[in-house]
Amino acid sequence: MNSNSLVSIDDISRDEIVDLLKQARYFEMHPDQKILDGKVVATLFFEPSTRTRLSFETAVNRLGGRVIGFSDASTTSSSKGETLKDTIKMVSNYVDLIIMRHHLEGAARYATEVTDTPVINAGDGAHQHPSQTMLDLYSIYKTQGTLQNLSITMVGDLKYGRTVHSLLMAMRYFNPTFHFIACEELQMPKEYKDFCDKYNIRYYEHRDFTPEVINQSDILYMTRVQRERFTDIMEYERVKNLYTLRSDMLEGARKNMRVLHPLPRVNEIAYDVDDSPHAYYFEQARNGLYARQAIICKALGIDIPKMEITL
Amino acid sequence: MKADKKELAVAALRCGTVIDHVPNDVLFKAVKILGIENIKSHVTIGNNLSSKRLGSKGIIKVADVEFAEDVINRIALIAPHAKINIIRDFDVVEKRYVTLPDEIVGIVRCDNPKCITNNEPMRTRFSVIDRDNLTIRCHYCGRTVKSEDAIID
Ligand SMILES: [Zn+2]
Protein backbone atom coordinates (compact mmCIF):
# COMPACT_ATOMS: atom_id res chain seq x y z
CA MET A 1 0.00 0.00 0.00
CA ASN A 2 1.39 3.36 -1.03
CA SER A 3 -0.37 6.32 0.54
CA ASN A 4 0.22 8.48 -2.53
CA SER A 5 -2.11 6.29 -4.58
CA LEU A 6 -5.26 7.90 -5.97
CA VAL A 7 -8.23 5.56 -6.25
CA SER A 8 -11.23 7.78 -5.54
CA ILE A 9 -11.76 11.53 -5.39
CA ASP A 10 -13.26 10.80 -1.97
CA ASP A 11 -9.83 9.77 -0.67
CA ILE A 12 -8.42 13.27 -0.87
CA SER A 13 -9.21 16.31 1.22
CA ARG A 14 -10.33 19.75 0.16
CA ASP A 15 -6.76 21.04 0.62
CA GLU A 16 -5.35 18.28 -1.55
CA ILE A 17 -7.90 19.05 -4.26
CA VAL A 18 -7.00 22.73 -4.14
CA ASP A 19 -3.27 21.92 -4.25
CA LEU A 20 -3.80 19.76 -7.32
CA LEU A 21 -5.66 22.62 -9.00
CA LYS A 22 -2.79 24.99 -8.21
CA GLN A 23 -0.33 22.53 -9.65
CA ALA A 24 -2.47 21.97 -12.74
CA ARG A 25 -2.33 25.73 -13.21
CA TYR A 26 1.46 25.54 -12.97
CA PHE A 27 1.61 22.79 -15.60
CA GLU A 28 -0.65 24.74 -17.91
CA MET A 29 1.96 27.48 -17.87
CA HIS A 30 4.91 25.05 -18.04
CA PRO A 31 3.72 21.83 -19.65
CA ASP A 32 7.12 20.56 -20.81
CA GLN A 33 9.64 19.75 -18.12
CA LYS A 34 12.14 17.05 -17.24
CA ILE A 35 10.59 16.35 -13.85
CA LEU A 36 10.14 12.61 -14.54
CA ASP A 37 13.58 12.05 -16.02
CA GLY A 38 14.58 8.45 -15.31
CA LYS A 39 11.10 7.42 -14.19
CA VAL A 40 9.17 4.58 -15.80
CA VAL A 41 5.39 4.60 -15.64
CA ALA A 42 3.10 1.66 -16.53
CA THR A 43 -0.26 2.28 -18.17
CA LEU A 44 -2.22 -0.94 -17.68
CA PHE A 45 -5.46 -0.71 -19.61
CA PHE A 46 -7.26 -3.99 -18.94
CA GLU A 47 -10.20 -2.25 -20.58
CA PRO A 48 -9.45 -0.12 -23.64
CA SER A 49 -9.92 3.65 -23.42
CA THR A 50 -7.88 5.44 -26.03
CA ARG A 51 -8.84 8.91 -24.88
CA THR A 52 -7.82 8.45 -21.25
CA ARG A 53 -4.70 6.47 -22.10
CA LEU A 54 -3.42 9.07 -24.56
CA SER A 55 -4.02 11.82 -22.04
CA PHE A 56 -2.05 10.04 -19.30
CA GLU A 57 0.75 8.97 -21.65
CA THR A 58 1.08 12.49 -23.02
CA ALA A 59 1.28 13.80 -19.47
CA VAL A 60 4.16 11.40 -18.68
CA ASN A 61 5.95 12.07 -21.95
CA ARG A 62 5.77 15.83 -21.62
CA LEU A 63 7.40 15.52 -18.19
CA GLY A 64 10.26 13.44 -19.60
CA GLY A 65 9.21 10.07 -18.18
CA ARG A 66 8.92 6.82 -20.08
CA VAL A 67 5.88 4.59 -20.49
CA ILE A 68 5.39 0.84 -20.69
CA GLY A 69 2.10 -1.00 -20.68
CA PHE A 70 -0.76 -2.38 -22.71
CA SER A 71 -3.90 -0.88 -24.14
CA ASP A 72 -6.08 -3.99 -24.27
CA ALA A 73 -6.08 -6.92 -21.87
CA SER A 74 -6.77 -9.43 -24.65
CA THR A 75 -3.10 -9.20 -25.61
CA THR A 76 -1.81 -9.88 -22.09
CA SER A 77 -1.46 -12.78 -19.71
CA SER A 78 -4.62 -11.74 -17.87
CA SER A 79 -6.50 -13.12 -20.87
CA LYS A 80 -4.81 -16.45 -20.05
CA GLY A 81 -6.32 -16.37 -16.59
CA GLU A 82 -3.62 -14.54 -14.65
CA THR A 83 -5.09 -12.78 -11.63
CA LEU A 84 -5.01 -9.02 -11.29
CA LYS A 85 -2.85 -9.46 -8.21
CA ASP A 86 -0.18 -11.37 -10.13
CA THR A 87 -0.14 -8.84 -12.98
CA ILE A 88 0.20 -5.93 -10.55
CA LYS A 89 2.95 -7.67 -8.56
CA MET A 90 4.88 -8.48 -11.72
CA VAL A 91 4.64 -4.95 -13.14
CA SER A 92 5.56 -3.43 -9.75
CA ASN A 93 9.03 -4.87 -10.18
CA TYR A 94 9.64 -2.69 -13.19
CA VAL A 95 8.05 0.70 -12.67
CA ASP A 96 7.76 3.72 -10.38
CA LEU A 97 4.03 4.26 -10.91
CA ILE A 98 1.06 2.24 -12.17
CA ILE A 99 -1.82 3.91 -13.98
CA MET A 100 -4.59 1.39 -14.50
CA ARG A 101 -8.03 1.07 -15.99
CA HIS A 102 -10.17 -1.98 -15.41
CA HIS A 103 -13.73 -3.03 -16.21
CA LEU A 104 -14.30 -4.40 -12.69
CA GLU A 105 -15.37 -2.12 -9.85
CA GLY A 106 -12.90 -1.90 -6.99
CA ALA A 107 -10.01 -3.23 -9.10
CA ALA A 108 -7.80 -0.22 -8.41
CA ARG A 109 -8.46 -0.30 -4.67
CA TYR A 110 -7.45 -3.94 -4.62
CA ALA A 111 -4.32 -3.19 -6.67
CA THR A 112 -3.17 -0.67 -4.03
CA GLU A 113 -3.40 -3.44 -1.44
CA VAL A 114 -1.07 -5.83 -3.21
CA THR A 115 1.77 -3.46 -4.08
CA ASP A 116 3.86 -0.67 -2.56
CA THR A 117 4.11 1.05 -5.92
CA PRO A 118 1.70 4.00 -6.16
CA VAL A 119 -1.42 3.35 -8.24
CA ILE A 120 -3.61 5.86 -10.08
CA ASN A 121 -7.11 4.72 -10.93
CA ALA A 122 -7.90 5.66 -14.54
CA GLY A 123 -11.41 4.23 -14.25
CA ASP A 124 -12.79 1.05 -12.67
CA GLY A 125 -16.02 0.07 -14.34
CA ALA A 126 -18.89 2.34 -13.40
CA HIS A 127 -17.22 3.17 -10.12
CA GLN A 128 -14.51 5.86 -9.92
CA HIS A 129 -12.45 7.97 -12.29
CA PRO A 130 -10.78 10.64 -10.15
CA SER A 131 -8.62 12.25 -12.85
CA GLN A 132 -11.81 13.02 -14.80
CA THR A 133 -13.17 14.75 -11.71
CA MET A 134 -9.98 16.77 -11.29
CA LEU A 135 -10.10 17.96 -14.88
CA ASP A 136 -13.78 18.85 -14.46
CA LEU A 137 -12.97 20.86 -11.33
CA TYR A 138 -10.08 22.56 -13.07
CA SER A 139 -12.29 23.41 -16.04
CA ILE A 140 -14.96 24.83 -13.76
CA TYR A 141 -12.38 26.85 -11.87
CA LYS A 142 -10.82 28.19 -15.08
CA THR A 143 -14.08 29.23 -16.66
CA GLN A 144 -15.66 30.71 -13.56
CA GLY A 145 -12.59 32.03 -11.73
CA THR A 146 -13.83 30.26 -8.62
CA LEU A 147 -15.37 27.03 -7.38
CA GLN A 148 -17.48 28.71 -4.72
CA ASN A 149 -21.24 29.26 -4.80
CA LEU A 150 -21.81 28.03 -8.35
CA SER A 151 -25.03 26.79 -9.89
CA ILE A 152 -24.33 23.52 -11.69
CA THR A 153 -26.88 21.80 -13.89
CA MET A 154 -26.37 18.14 -14.73
CA VAL A 155 -28.23 16.70 -17.70
CA GLY A 156 -28.80 13.25 -19.18
CA ASP A 157 -27.80 9.99 -17.54
CA LEU A 158 -27.58 10.86 -13.87
CA LYS A 159 -28.18 7.29 -12.75
CA TYR A 160 -25.17 5.52 -14.19
CA GLY A 161 -22.94 8.50 -14.99
CA ARG A 162 -19.96 8.12 -12.68
CA THR A 163 -18.54 11.50 -13.74
CA VAL A 164 -21.55 13.36 -12.37
CA HIS A 165 -21.50 11.37 -9.13
CA SER A 166 -17.82 12.05 -8.48
CA LEU A 167 -18.15 15.71 -9.42
CA LEU A 168 -21.12 16.08 -7.08
CA MET A 169 -19.12 14.61 -4.20
CA ALA A 170 -16.04 16.72 -4.85
CA MET A 171 -18.09 19.93 -5.05
CA ARG A 172 -19.34 19.46 -1.50
CA TYR A 173 -16.50 21.68 -0.26
CA PHE A 174 -17.59 24.65 -2.37
CA ASN A 175 -21.23 25.38 -1.55
CA PRO A 176 -22.80 24.55 -4.92
CA THR A 177 -26.45 24.54 -6.02
CA PHE A 178 -27.36 21.62 -8.27
CA HIS A 179 -30.07 21.14 -10.84
CA PHE A 180 -30.58 17.54 -11.94
CA ILE A 181 -32.30 17.10 -15.30
CA ALA A 182 -33.11 13.54 -16.31
CA CYS A 183 -35.92 11.26 -17.41
CA GLU A 184 -37.64 8.93 -14.98
CA GLU A 185 -35.32 5.99 -15.67
CA LEU A 186 -32.05 7.89 -15.33
CA GLN A 187 -32.63 10.03 -12.26
CA MET A 188 -29.94 10.87 -9.76
CA PRO A 189 -29.81 7.90 -7.34
CA LYS A 190 -31.09 8.35 -3.83
CA GLU A 191 -27.69 7.85 -2.22
CA TYR A 192 -26.37 11.00 -3.93
CA LYS A 193 -29.42 13.02 -2.98
CA ASP A 194 -28.90 11.79 0.59
CA PHE A 195 -25.29 12.89 0.24
CA CYS A 196 -26.49 16.40 -0.73
CA ASP A 197 -28.81 16.49 2.28
CA LYS A 198 -26.00 15.40 4.57
CA TYR A 199 -23.75 18.24 3.40
CA ASN A 200 -26.53 20.84 3.13
CA ILE A 201 -26.21 21.11 -0.62
CA ARG A 202 -29.25 22.57 -2.38
CA TYR A 203 -30.59 20.56 -5.32
CA TYR A 204 -33.60 20.69 -7.58
CA GLU A 205 -34.86 17.93 -9.84
CA HIS A 206 -36.43 18.51 -13.24
CA ARG A 207 -37.87 16.28 -15.94
CA ASP A 208 -37.81 18.91 -18.67
CA PHE A 209 -34.68 20.41 -20.16
CA THR A 210 -35.73 24.03 -20.53
CA PRO A 211 -34.02 27.40 -21.11
CA GLU A 212 -35.34 28.52 -17.69
CA VAL A 213 -32.98 26.13 -15.93
CA ILE A 214 -30.12 26.84 -18.33
CA ASN A 215 -30.52 30.58 -17.70
CA GLN A 216 -29.82 30.21 -14.00
CA SER A 217 -26.77 27.97 -14.44
CA ASP A 218 -23.06 28.72 -14.34
CA ILE A 219 -22.13 25.25 -15.56
CA LEU A 220 -24.17 22.97 -17.80
CA TYR A 221 -22.73 19.47 -17.45
CA MET A 222 -24.03 17.28 -20.28
CA THR A 223 -23.79 13.48 -20.34
CA ARG A 224 -24.61 10.82 -22.87
CA VAL A 225 -27.91 8.95 -22.71
CA GLN A 226 -27.11 5.42 -23.83
CA ARG A 227 -29.61 2.98 -25.29
CA GLU A 228 -28.22 0.04 -23.28
CA ARG A 229 -29.17 1.75 -20.02
CA PHE A 230 -32.87 1.33 -20.73
CA THR A 231 -34.93 -1.71 -19.86
CA ASP A 232 -37.65 -0.38 -22.14
CA ILE A 233 -36.49 0.51 -25.66
CA MET A 234 -39.69 2.46 -26.34
CA GLU A 235 -38.82 4.67 -23.39
CA TYR A 236 -35.37 5.28 -24.86
CA GLU A 237 -36.86 6.24 -28.21
CA ARG A 238 -39.21 8.60 -26.44
CA VAL A 239 -36.59 10.45 -24.38
CA LYS A 240 -33.42 10.24 -26.46
CA ASN A 241 -33.88 13.67 -28.04
CA LEU A 242 -35.42 15.40 -25.04
CA TYR A 243 -32.02 15.94 -23.44
CA THR A 244 -30.21 17.34 -26.46
CA LEU A 245 -28.72 20.81 -26.21
CA ARG A 246 -29.22 23.09 -29.25
CA SER A 247 -27.73 26.55 -29.69
CA ASP A 248 -31.13 28.31 -29.64
CA MET A 249 -31.56 27.11 -26.04
CA LEU A 250 -28.54 29.17 -25.00
CA GLU A 251 -29.89 32.59 -25.99
CA GLY A 252 -30.70 33.67 -22.45
CA ALA A 253 -27.75 31.97 -20.78
CA ARG A 254 -25.49 33.85 -18.37
CA LYS A 255 -22.40 35.24 -20.06
CA ASN A 256 -20.11 33.15 -17.84
CA MET A 257 -22.07 29.93 -18.41
CA ARG A 258 -20.03 27.09 -19.94
CA VAL A 259 -21.10 23.75 -21.33
CA LEU A 260 -19.03 20.76 -20.21
CA HIS A 261 -19.18 17.16 -21.39
CA PRO A 262 -16.83 14.27 -20.51
CA LEU A 263 -16.82 13.18 -24.20
CA PRO A 264 -17.34 11.32 -26.43
CA ARG A 265 -20.67 12.88 -27.32
CA VAL A 266 -23.18 11.36 -29.67
CA ASN A 267 -26.25 13.49 -30.16
CA GLU A 268 -26.73 15.13 -26.78
CA ILE A 269 -25.01 18.33 -27.95
CA ALA A 270 -26.01 19.54 -31.42
CA TYR A 271 -23.07 20.52 -33.62
CA ASP A 272 -24.30 24.11 -33.86
CA VAL A 273 -23.39 24.51 -30.17
CA ASP A 274 -19.70 23.98 -30.98
CA ASP A 275 -19.37 27.54 -32.29
CA SER A 276 -21.07 29.09 -29.28
CA PRO A 277 -18.89 31.00 -26.80
CA HIS A 278 -20.53 28.82 -24.15
CA ALA A 279 -19.07 25.59 -25.57
CA TYR A 280 -16.10 24.44 -23.53
CA TYR A 281 -15.93 20.63 -23.95
CA PHE A 282 -12.90 20.53 -26.22
CA GLU A 283 -10.82 22.80 -23.96
CA GLN A 284 -12.08 20.71 -21.06
CA ALA A 285 -10.33 17.66 -22.52
CA ARG A 286 -7.07 19.62 -22.83
CA ASN A 287 -7.26 20.56 -19.16
CA GLY A 288 -7.09 16.84 -18.51
CA LEU A 289 -3.44 16.88 -19.49
CA TYR A 290 -2.51 19.45 -16.82
CA ALA A 291 -4.69 17.85 -14.17
CA ARG A 292 -3.08 14.47 -14.87
CA GLN A 293 0.43 15.92 -14.76
CA ALA A 294 -0.38 17.21 -11.28
CA ILE A 295 -1.88 13.86 -10.21
CA ILE A 296 1.13 11.91 -11.51
CA CYS A 297 3.59 14.10 -9.60
CA LYS A 298 1.54 13.80 -6.42
CA ALA A 299 1.48 10.00 -6.76
CA LEU A 300 5.26 9.98 -7.18
CA GLY A 301 5.72 12.29 -4.20
CA ILE A 302 7.35 14.98 -6.34
CA ASP A 303 6.96 18.51 -5.06
CA ILE A 304 5.63 20.92 -7.66
CA PRO A 305 5.27 24.69 -7.35
CA LYS A 306 1.70 25.76 -6.67
CA MET A 307 0.41 28.77 -8.55
CA GLU A 308 -1.75 31.11 -6.54
CA ILE A 309 -5.37 30.69 -7.39
CA THR A 310 -8.33 32.28 -5.67
CA LEU A 311 -11.24 30.05 -4.86
CA MET B 1 -45.51 -33.55 30.37
CA LYS B 2 -45.38 -30.50 28.17
CA ALA B 3 -42.74 -28.99 30.38
CA ASP B 4 -40.65 -32.14 30.04
CA LYS B 5 -40.67 -31.95 26.29
CA LYS B 6 -39.60 -28.37 26.43
CA GLU B 7 -36.72 -29.34 28.72
CA LEU B 8 -35.66 -31.93 26.22
CA ALA B 9 -35.61 -29.45 23.34
CA VAL B 10 -33.08 -27.31 25.14
CA ALA B 11 -31.10 -30.00 26.95
CA ALA B 12 -28.68 -28.77 29.57
CA LEU B 13 -25.05 -28.26 28.77
CA ARG B 14 -22.20 -29.08 31.13
CA CYS B 15 -19.64 -26.80 29.47
CA GLY B 16 -19.76 -24.74 26.35
CA THR B 17 -21.66 -21.93 24.70
CA VAL B 18 -25.34 -21.26 24.21
CA ILE B 19 -26.26 -18.79 21.51
CA ASP B 20 -29.80 -17.71 22.23
CA HIS B 21 -32.36 -15.38 20.66
CA VAL B 22 -31.33 -16.02 17.10
CA PRO B 23 -34.14 -15.09 14.68
CA ASN B 24 -35.56 -18.22 13.00
CA ASP B 25 -34.79 -17.14 9.47
CA VAL B 26 -31.09 -16.57 10.06
CA LEU B 27 -30.34 -19.53 12.33
CA PHE B 28 -28.63 -21.59 9.66
CA LYS B 29 -26.72 -18.58 8.39
CA ALA B 30 -25.42 -18.13 11.93
CA VAL B 31 -24.40 -21.80 12.04
CA LYS B 32 -22.49 -21.29 8.83
CA ILE B 33 -20.80 -18.04 9.90
CA LEU B 34 -19.53 -19.61 13.10
CA GLY B 35 -18.17 -22.65 11.29
CA ILE B 36 -20.20 -24.98 13.52
CA GLU B 37 -20.34 -27.60 10.77
CA ASN B 38 -16.71 -28.42 11.53
CA ILE B 39 -17.02 -28.70 15.28
CA LYS B 40 -16.62 -32.28 16.55
CA SER B 41 -18.20 -31.94 19.99
CA HIS B 42 -21.96 -32.15 20.69
CA VAL B 43 -23.96 -29.52 18.90
CA THR B 44 -27.66 -28.96 19.43
CA ILE B 45 -29.50 -26.70 17.07
CA GLY B 46 -33.10 -25.78 17.75
CA ASN B 47 -35.36 -23.63 15.66
CA ASN B 48 -38.89 -22.24 15.88
CA LEU B 49 -38.78 -22.56 19.66
CA SER B 50 -41.15 -20.37 21.60
CA SER B 51 -39.69 -17.20 23.00
CA LYS B 52 -41.26 -14.56 25.20
CA ARG B 53 -39.31 -11.83 23.50
CA LEU B 54 -39.22 -12.86 19.84
CA GLY B 55 -42.35 -15.03 19.77
CA SER B 56 -40.25 -17.67 18.13
CA LYS B 57 -36.50 -18.13 18.05
CA GLY B 58 -33.55 -20.28 17.22
CA ILE B 59 -30.89 -21.51 19.60
CA ILE B 60 -27.46 -23.09 19.17
CA LYS B 61 -25.70 -25.06 21.88
CA VAL B 62 -22.13 -26.08 21.40
CA ALA B 63 -20.51 -28.33 24.00
CA ASP B 64 -16.94 -27.73 25.16
CA VAL B 65 -16.36 -24.71 22.96
CA GLU B 66 -16.00 -21.07 24.00
CA PHE B 67 -15.80 -18.83 20.96
CA ALA B 68 -13.35 -15.95 20.72
CA GLU B 69 -15.11 -12.61 20.94
CA ASP B 70 -14.25 -11.55 17.41
CA VAL B 71 -15.60 -14.84 16.10
CA ILE B 72 -18.88 -14.69 17.97
CA ASN B 73 -19.36 -11.04 17.00
CA ARG B 74 -19.57 -12.05 13.37
CA ILE B 75 -23.18 -13.10 13.86
CA ALA B 76 -24.08 -9.56 14.95
CA LEU B 77 -24.44 -8.96 11.24
CA ILE B 78 -27.58 -11.11 11.04
CA ALA B 79 -28.60 -11.59 14.66
CA PRO B 80 -27.82 -8.29 16.41
CA HIS B 81 -29.84 -9.24 19.50
CA ALA B 82 -28.37 -12.70 19.99
CA LYS B 83 -27.45 -13.50 23.57
CA ILE B 84 -24.37 -15.52 24.42
CA ASN B 85 -24.23 -17.68 27.54
CA ILE B 86 -20.95 -19.26 28.54
CA ILE B 87 -21.54 -22.40 30.60
CA ARG B 88 -19.12 -24.08 32.97
CA ASP B 89 -20.25 -26.98 35.15
CA PHE B 90 -23.92 -26.36 34.35
CA ASP B 91 -23.62 -22.75 35.50
CA VAL B 92 -23.91 -19.68 33.36
CA VAL B 93 -20.63 -17.96 34.15
CA GLU B 94 -20.95 -15.19 31.60
CA LYS B 95 -23.75 -13.54 29.64
CA ARG B 96 -23.15 -11.10 26.88
CA TYR B 97 -24.54 -9.63 23.73
CA VAL B 98 -22.87 -9.55 20.37
CA THR B 99 -21.52 -6.30 18.95
CA LEU B 100 -21.06 -5.55 15.31
CA PRO B 101 -17.39 -4.89 14.42
CA ASP B 102 -16.55 -1.82 12.31
CA GLU B 103 -15.22 -4.00 9.57
CA ILE B 104 -16.34 -7.41 8.38
CA VAL B 105 -13.67 -9.38 6.57
CA GLY B 106 -14.47 -12.48 4.48
CA ILE B 107 -18.02 -13.60 5.53
CA VAL B 108 -20.23 -11.62 3.23
CA ARG B 109 -20.23 -11.88 -0.53
CA CYS B 110 -20.74 -8.66 -2.51
CA ASP B 111 -23.91 -8.83 -4.59
CA ASN B 112 -22.40 -6.72 -7.37
CA PRO B 113 -21.35 -9.19 -10.09
CA LYS B 114 -18.94 -6.59 -11.49
CA CYS B 115 -17.17 -6.20 -8.15
CA ILE B 116 -13.52 -7.23 -8.14
CA THR B 117 -14.17 -9.48 -5.13
CA ASN B 118 -16.39 -11.73 -7.25
CA ASN B 119 -13.72 -12.08 -9.91
CA GLU B 120 -10.45 -12.51 -8.01
CA PRO B 121 -9.41 -15.09 -5.41
CA MET B 122 -9.53 -12.62 -2.51
CA ARG B 123 -11.35 -11.87 0.73
CA THR B 124 -14.21 -9.42 0.84
CA ARG B 125 -14.21 -6.40 3.15
CA PHE B 126 -17.27 -4.51 4.29
CA SER B 127 -17.53 -1.57 6.62
CA VAL B 128 -20.55 -0.78 8.75
CA ILE B 129 -21.88 2.59 7.60
CA ASP B 130 -25.17 2.67 9.51
CA ARG B 131 -25.43 0.83 12.83
CA ASP B 132 -29.09 1.68 13.37
CA ASN B 133 -30.20 0.25 10.06
CA LEU B 134 -27.43 -2.38 9.95
CA THR B 135 -26.15 -1.28 6.59
CA ILE B 136 -22.74 -2.31 5.30
CA ARG B 137 -20.70 -1.11 2.32
CA CYS B 138 -18.26 -3.02 0.13
CA HIS B 139 -14.78 -1.61 0.64
CA TYR B 140 -13.98 -2.22 -3.04
CA CYS B 141 -16.97 -1.35 -5.22
CA GLY B 142 -18.93 0.78 -2.75
CA ARG B 143 -22.13 -1.25 -3.05
CA THR B 144 -24.24 -0.98 0.10
CA VAL B 145 -26.49 -3.69 1.46
CA LYS B 146 -28.70 -4.15 4.51
CA SER B 147 -27.03 -6.82 6.58
CA GLU B 148 -30.20 -8.93 6.72
CA ASP B 149 -29.99 -9.19 2.92
CA ALA B 150 -26.26 -9.92 2.92
CA ILE B 151 -25.16 -13.03 1.07
CA ILE B 152 -23.14 -15.18 3.43
CA ASP B 153 -20.31 -17.19 1.90
ZN1 LIG C 1 -18.22 -5.05 -4.01
Side-chain angles (χ1 to χ4, degrees), chain B residues 85-139:
Chain B
N85 292 314
I86 313 281
I87 316 282
R88 287 179 202 149
D89 270 332
F90 298 105
D91 275 336
V92 178
V93 295
E94 194 185 334
K95 288 182 182 195
R96 57 186 157 90
Y97 290 94
V98 293
T99 48
L100 194 60
D102 293 331
E103 193 177 49
I104 297 145
V105 177
I107 300 168
V108 180
R109 181 142 50 94
C110 184
D111 75 347
N112 174 6
K114 296 184 84 176
C115 178
I116 186 71
T117 59
N118 287 316
N119 295 273
E120 278 267 316
M122 61 184 284
R123 289 197 301 181
T124 60
R125 274 173 73 184
F126 284 81
S127 48
V128 178
I129 54 164
D130 184 343
R131 283 185 175 272
D132 299 331
N133 295 306
L134 289 177
T135 307
I136 56 176
R137 179 196 279 137
C138 175
H139 167 73

Side-chain angles (χ1 to χ4, degrees), chain A residues 157-226:
Chain A
D157 179 358
L158 306 188
K159 183 172 181 185
Y160 299 101
R162 67 178 170 198
T163 55
V164 294
H165 300 158
S166 298
L167 180 59
L168 181 153
M169 293 200 289
M171 285 301 296
R172 72 174 179 275
Y173 300 118
F174 307 106
N175 189 37
T177 300
F178 286 114
H179 292 272
F180 303 140
I181 303 181
C183 65
E184 185 76 38
E185 282 207 41
L186 298 181
Q187 281 187 68
M188 185 62 78
K190 183 176 178 298
E191 63 175 296
Y192 295 102
K193 290 188 273 185
D194 290 346
F195 181 92
C196 288
D197 291 335
K198 183 176 165 193
Y199 289 96
N200 292 315
I201 297 170
R202 290 168 303 279
Y203 66 89
Y204 305 91
E205 295 188 273
H206 313 265
R207 284 287 174 282
D208 297 328
F209 186 27
T210 60
E212 286 70 57
V213 188
I214 295 174
N215 294 352
Q216 47 182 307
S217 305
D218 299 307
I219 292 290
L220 191 56
Y221 199 101
M222 303 294 298
T223 63
R224 193 149 54 102
V225 173
Q226 299 177 73

Side-chain angles (χ1 to χ4, degrees), chain A residues 23 54 115-116 130-131 152 163 181 272 279 299:
Chain A
Q23 290 165 342
L54 291 181
T115 179
D116 292 327
S131 66
I152 298 177
T163 55
I181 303 181
D272 63 1

